[in-house]
Amino acid sequence: MTGYARLLWVLMVLVLVLSGVSLSLGPAKIGFAEAFHALGAGEDSMEAAILWQIRLPRLLLGLLVGGSLGLSGAALQGLLRNPLAEPGIIGVSASAGFGAVLALYFSAAGMTLSVPFSAMAGAGVATALLILLASRDASVLTLILAGVAINSLAGALTALALNLSPNPFALADMVHWLMGSFADRSLEDVALAAPFILLGMALLLLSGPGLRALVLGEETAASLGIGLLKLRLLVTIGAALCVGAGVAVSGAIGFVGLVVPHLLRPLVGHDPARLLLPSALAGAVLLVAADSLVRILPGGTELKLGVVTALIGAPAFLHMVWTTRRQMR
Amino acid sequence: MTLRADHVDISLGGRKVVRQASLHVAPGELVALIGPNGAGKSTLLKALAGLLPVDEGHILPDVSVKERARLRAWLGQDAAIHWPVTVERLVSLGRLPHLDAFHRAAPTDREAIQKAMAATDCLAFARRPATHLSAGERARVLLARAFATQAPFILADEPAAALDPYHAFQMMELLRHEAQAGRGVLVVLHDLNLAARFAHRVVLMAEGAILADGAAQTVLSDDLLGRAYGIRVARGDGWLVPTGRLQSPD
């Protein structure tokens, strides 16, 4: 078995083990065995209700969002040929966040708007803008700068909504939502996000050969028959679908897309194509693990997942920057 | 089959850089494309590689993108290596135009990669990261990548520019060897001695147009070099040295 195949197997086993752990965790004492029994039985027991309505959505979101963030990070780092790129760089997550905040703002004022739908609309606007730019043969640098602009605008608009928030409860709702969490999500949330995320992941997985050719730079990649425009669109749209739909149902969860590809890169010989699938699996592992951790941690208030990933991710990332600083010169 | 540019005009950023340029490379010959900075050499080479569109004229044979990638191997000027992949993996990128839809390497691919690394003397550091090489090793690895495609035509933009004389000779010998093996090789060169020594034919460009095309001794004449570069040269048996600018005070 090659090192690559072994890595994939290890990660798949980890996904399964952590999924089992995730399903057995919660305030209600339903262990591993009962959890599986309840999932399969489908009867109207209390256990089945908890599993199907609380724990399973949480697990599925963890797998989908974690996997897509890891994959998006790996693909964007490959496209931009920069190990510091992360899914948030294209501005779609900030736009989705603004969409969600806007919905919370108005629902608090008496109107009923679905948060995820509004978030997806926000992500859609940003994505449309990026596609417009990318399809006009914009350079990678243009894409990054556009991402910076979209990020700042969405950030400013989010701050404005917080600033003008009609009452403290709405403000608390928005702030909490922005921190990112899988708590209290339903299977409907999963059903809403899954098609977009899966489509986005499929697009990103197609980008492997193009990203590999980009090791030699854009000109040489083009001479090898790689369509650069198609590749940019593939990665941009793929990442936008993943991130937009992910943020729409879970809020902003940082550092997974940045750290996961970075950790795995030496294990796949720095090959941008071979980095994709392991990054998806490891992203899922990391986020399901982090989501399990927030449920185990003692204390009255459950920590928000986005807070935990940043608390663990940022120092880990700083450590990586420190140890690899020579290579980045 | 020859690779040819037929009366091509090329613009960069709205400015016409190449005018009515025609040149061809036949299998088995090494052609040196020389000329002063800004003459349009690299631009014409890129158009021949299919990396730039032409305003007028034709690049022949006119084939699909995939077919073009198999037909012409392109070796750019100071080409980048963006991730520390192994030398072997980097060289294997040359097989990209030949891979099937699943991008699986066939025995012929592996054979081509080994052959390219052997020809360029890269086997000794096949497992080393391609970003941790000396300039000479790096140039050979990038050349091996181009060889691995086994394209009938090789287009190289100043492959010897950053190399010391020993490695520059080695680079030119490798390219010449490929030409003798039946490939058509077109090389943009700044070193007139390398052009004189290794090329079967020399094409001289100035101000976007082809000024001369022929054997080294006719193209590298005092008159033509003076007109293209604005320089005086001294020459002896198998060498020539620029000695000054034509307009310079002395």
Side-chain angles (χ1 to χ4, degrees):
Chain A
M1 193 157 43
T2 64
Y4 179 63
R6 196 177 310 132
L7 177 67
L8 287 179
W9 276 111
V10 167
L11 287 171
M12 278 192 272
V13 169
L14 276 175
V15 167
L16 287 177
V17 169
L18 279 160
S19 299
V21 170
S22 171
L23 286 178
S24 338
L25 286 175
K29 299 278 173 254
I30 305 171
F32 194 68
E34 299 115 285
F36 270 85
H37 178 73
L39 264 185
E43 73 227 32
D44 291 336
S45 69
M46 178 70 123
E47 284 82 5
I50 288 174
L51 255 295
W52 279 99
Q53 285 162 30
I54 298 172
R55 293 192 189 173
L56 191 62
R58 206 167 172 152
L59 168 64
L60 291 177
L61 283 181
L63 292 172
L64 282 169
V65 174
S68 65
L69 282 177
L71 181 57
S72 304
L76 279 167
Q77 289 179 4
L79 180 73
L80 306 178
R81 283 156 284 151
N82 190 328
L84 301 181
E86 59 117 14
I89 201 168
I90 51 175
V92 173
S93 48
S95 305
F98 170 62
V101 163
L102 204 63
L104 289 166
Y105 181 95
F106 282 116
S107 67
M111 285 171 66
T112 47
L113 267 173
S114 159
V115 172
F117 270 112
S118 178
M120 280 196 186
V125 171
T127 309
L129 224 112
L130 285 168
I131 291 173
L132 207 69
L133 260 172
S135 60
R136 296 196 169 196
D137 209 10
S139 71
V140 159
L141 183 66
T142 315
L143 276 182
I144 297 178
L145 292 175
V148 169
I150 296 172
N151 260 325
S152 326
L153 184 62
L157 288 170
T158 304
L160 184 69
L162 295 173
N163 200 169
L164 298 178
S165 105
N167 59 60
F169 302 110
L171 187 64
D173 271 355
M174 296 182 212
V175 170
H176 277 144
W177 193 89
L178 282 174
M179 289 177 189
S181 169
F182 294 144
D184 309 323
R185 303 299 196 267
S186 66
L187 280 177
E188 284 76 56
D189 285 309
V190 179
L192 180 66
F196 293 98
I197 292 182
L198 291 175
L199 177 64
M201 290 180 83
L203 292 180
L204 292 175
L205 285 172
L206 290 176
S207 68
L211 296 180
R212 183 178 278 162
L214 272 186
V215 171
L216 291 162
E218 297 200 335
E219 231 166 43
T220 310
S223 81
L224 288 167
I226 300 296
L228 294 177
L229 181 63
K230 198 179 118 199
L231 182 65
R232 275 186 216 129
L233 281 172
L234 201 64
V235 173
T236 311
I237 296 174
L241 285 169
C242 285
V243 175
V247 172
V249 290
S250 65
I253 293 166
F255 281 98
V256 176
L258 184 60
V259 173
V260 164
H262 213 84
L263 277 174
L264 292 173
R265 192 166 281 119
L267 303 180
V268 295
H270 299 265
D271 178 345
R274 285 194 162 189
L275 186 60
L276 296 177
L277 203 50
S279 290
L281 290 169
V285 167
L286 195 72
L287 214 46
V288 172
D291 187 47
S292 303
L293 185 69
V294 298
R295 284 183 276 168
I296 299 172
L297 286 177
T301 321
E302 184 182 302
L303 287 178
K304 295 288 183 190
L305 187 58
V307 178
V308 173
T309 56
L311 276 177
I312 301 172
F317 185 66
L318 194 60
H319 174 72
M320 280 186 270
V321 170
W322 185 258
T323 51
T324 58
R325 65 192 188 281
R326 274 193 195 90
Q327 290 171 27
M328 294 206 196
R329 209 162 274 166
Chain B
M1 178 181 47
T2 55
L3 178 64
R4 63 171 69 239
D6 187 13
H7 295 94
V8 294
D9 280 19
I10 310 165
S11 303
L12 283 182
R15 204 171 66 87
K16 197 141 270 192
V17 180
V18 173
R19 279 185 206 85
Q20 292 295 306
S22 298
L23 78 78
H24 70 278
V25 189
E29 67 172 348
L30 190 157
V31 179
L33 183 55
I34 62 167
N37 294 332
K41 309 179 296 291
S42 296
T43 306
L44 182 57
L45 196 76
K46 274 182 200 168
L48 277 161
L51 297 175
L52 280 179
V54 296
D55 300 341
E56 268 176 63
H58 303 280
I59 302 291
L60 299 167
D62 189 8
V63 289
S64 71
V65 172
K66 185 94 179 168
E67 191 56 36
R68 192 182 70 208
R70 285 188 201 135
L71 203 62
R72 303 160 222 192
W74 156 262
L75 188 59
Q77 209 175 339
D78 34 66
I81 301 175
H82 286 286
W83 301 105
V85 295
T86 61
V87 166
E88 190 169 15
R89 185 166 290 282
L90 193 86
V91 173
S92 76
L93 289 174
R95 297 305 293 172
L96 212 55
H98 296 278
L99 300 184
D100 61 13
F102 299 100
H103 291 93
R104 269 186 285 233
T108 50
D109 294 316
R110 280 188 281 274
E111 196 185 307
I113 293 162
Q114 289 301 314
K115 224 173 128 189
M117 286 201 295
T120 52
D121 210 3
C122 291
L123 286 170
F125 43 89
R127 300 268 166 203
R128 281 202 358 228
T131 45
H132 294 50
L133 300 172
S134 73
E137 289 168 338
R138 194 187 135 89
R140 293 212 305 278
V141 167
L142 290 170
L143 186 68
R145 198 280 305 160
F147 283 178
T149 306
Q150 296 190 331
F153 294 98
I154 298 174
L155 308 174
D157 196 352
E158 294 190 37
L163 301 178
D164 61 46
Y166 176 91
H167 289 103
F169 275 115
Q170 185 186 34
M171 170 66 71
M172 292 310 296
E173 278 159 18
L174 286 167
L175 286 168
R176 171 96 181 188
H177 186 264
E178 287 298 299
Q180 266 145 6
R183 299 180 204 288
V185 183
L186 180 61
V187 190
V188 170
L189 283 177
H190 262 311
D191 188 325
L192 301 176
N193 285 300
L194 287 182
R197 188 175 296 265
F198 289 100
H200 296 104
R201 191 152 55 82
V202 178
V203 178
L204 176 62
M205 276 187 93
E207 291 171 6
I210 307 274
L211 205 60
D213 183 341
Q217 58 265 39
T218 48
V219 175
L220 299 176
S221 69
D222 288 355
D223 172 48
L224 282 168
L225 289 180
R227 270 161 61 199
Y229 289 89
I231 54 164
R232 277 191 306 261
V233 293
R235 60 181 82 227
D237 184 21
W239 56 267
L240 100 184
V241 177
T243 53
R245 294 192 287 152
L246 283 178
Q247 269 87 28
S248 63
D250 50 336

